[in-house]
Amino acid sequence: FPEMLSNPKLVLVQGALNVVKQQNVILSCLSESGSPPVRYTLFRHNQQVSALNRSDLTPALFTLTVSSASDVGEYKCKAEYNISSGGKYSNSLNFTLIEPVSKPVVSSPTSQAKKGQNVTLSCLSENGSLPITYVFFKGTQNISPQKTMQKREAAVIFLFIDSLSDFGTYKCKASNSFPNNTKYSNGFNFTLAEERSYSQPLVISLGLILLLLITGFALAIPFFIIPLYKASE
């Protein structure tokens, strides 16, 4: 009788659990105790992917190519004798597909600001695997610590407009675990809001009063001035 099989071990021997499209990974499946020949079957989400027979105590090597999101998820392998109706299952390995971030968009609720005003800037990449890390810049100078977002939501910073030099060009960059992939936004500029002079409302008020006086005088001519003129003749 063949020796009882141990639960096989599923090991990643090439690649990473975070994979990109068209990446190859190699999995090894081996029961350390048992009597060959042994049949090893690889499953993804309980669906058979591939099967290999081993006539000695060497691992079964499965090569996978990740071409779409359907190729990632939970993998397990099963070891069994050809003459057996049972089998032993391995641990599971979970693969995650990572995608590059899209070009982020930097924005603000207001495009105009004046000195002494608090404003906000937000940065968001619509696509890309989470988490995504954002950094804000003014010109080429970093003006914020890294902000890592675990959800698909914008990173936000608060700014105080203190002088005209704060009206420069603002940008942000986004990155994630996708290798060699960092995207920068377009530039965003605040424009200086025109500050109305305190004397302007006064001038407008005086002008309205003068207009009302002239209008009142014109309306009074037929009722008061003309009768007085006729009475004096």
Side-chain angles (χ1 to χ4, degrees):
F1 295 97
E3 182 183 354
M4 182 178 293
L5 281 170
S6 62
N7 288 86
K9 291 183 179 180
L10 185 63
V11 179
L12 181 66
V13 295
Q14 180 179 308
L17 293 179
N18 290 330
V19 293
V20 301
K21 287 184 178 180
Q22 305 308 317
Q23 180 178 342
N24 292 327
V25 295
I26 298 178
L27 300 177
S28 166
C29 185
L30 176 65
S31 287
E32 295 182 347
S33 64
S35 300
V38 179
R39 179 177 177 84
Y40 294 99
T41 306
L42 184 67
F43 294 89
R44 181 183 63 246
H45 299 305
N46 298 321
Q47 293 186 340
Q48 180 174 330
V49 175
S50 182
L52 294 171
N53 293 317
R54 281 291 176 264
S55 58
D56 52 21
L57 293 176
T58 58
L61 298 178
F62 298 97
T63 301
L64 305 174
T65 300
V66 177
S67 57
S68 68
S70 62
D71 295 324
V72 297
E74 183 185 62
Y75 282 80
K76 287 184 177 181
C77 71
K78 179 183 179 182
E80 60 187 336
Y81 291 123
N82 292 331
I83 60 174
S84 172
S85 60
K88 297 291 183 68
Y89 285 89
S90 72
N91 56 297
S92 62
L93 291 178
N94 281 281
F95 289 92
T96 301
L97 181 66
I98 57 174
E99 298 178 313
V101 294
S102 58
K103 183 176 181 178
V105 175
V106 62
S107 61
S108 175
T110 178
S111 60
Q112 292 188 332
K114 57 187 178 181
K115 288 188 289 183
Q117 181 178 345
N118 291 306
V119 294
T120 61
L121 275 179
S122 62
C123 183
L124 176 65
S125 285
E126 293 286 352
N127 299 296
S129 304
L130 297 171
I132 297 177
T133 298
Y134 299 95
V135 178
F136 291 84
F137 297 86
K138 179 179 175 292
T140 58
Q141 182 181 1
N142 184 341
I143 60 171
S144 76
Q146 291 186 350
K147 292 181 174 290
T148 300
M149 312 303 293
Q150 303 292 336
K151 297 180 180 179
R152 187 76 60 189
E153 57 188 18
V156 178
I157 62 169
F158 300 90
L159 302 172
F160 179 70
I161 303 298
D162 188 43
S163 64
L164 290 177
S165 63
D166 295 322
F167 289 91
T169 300
Y170 293 88
K171 290 184 177 183
C172 66
K173 73 174 182 179
S175 60
N176 61 3
S177 57
F178 194 94
N180 303 318
N181 178 70
T182 298
K183 297 289 180 64
Y184 286 84
S185 70
N186 289 331
F188 182 90
N189 290 78
F190 291 104
T191 57
L192 179 63
E194 294 183 2
E195 298 186 13
R196 297 177 62 181
S197 171
Y198 290 109
S199 63
Q200 187 175 359
L202 180 61
V203 172
I204 295 174
S205 299
L206 291 175
L208 289 174
I209 292 172
L210 181 61
L211 180 62
L212 289 173
L213 289 174
I214 294 172
T215 303
F217 182 75
L219 294 173
I221 290 175
F223 298 100
F224 297 101
I225 299 177
I226 293 178
L228 289 174
Y229 178 76
K230 289 182 178 181
S232 64
E233 290 181 349

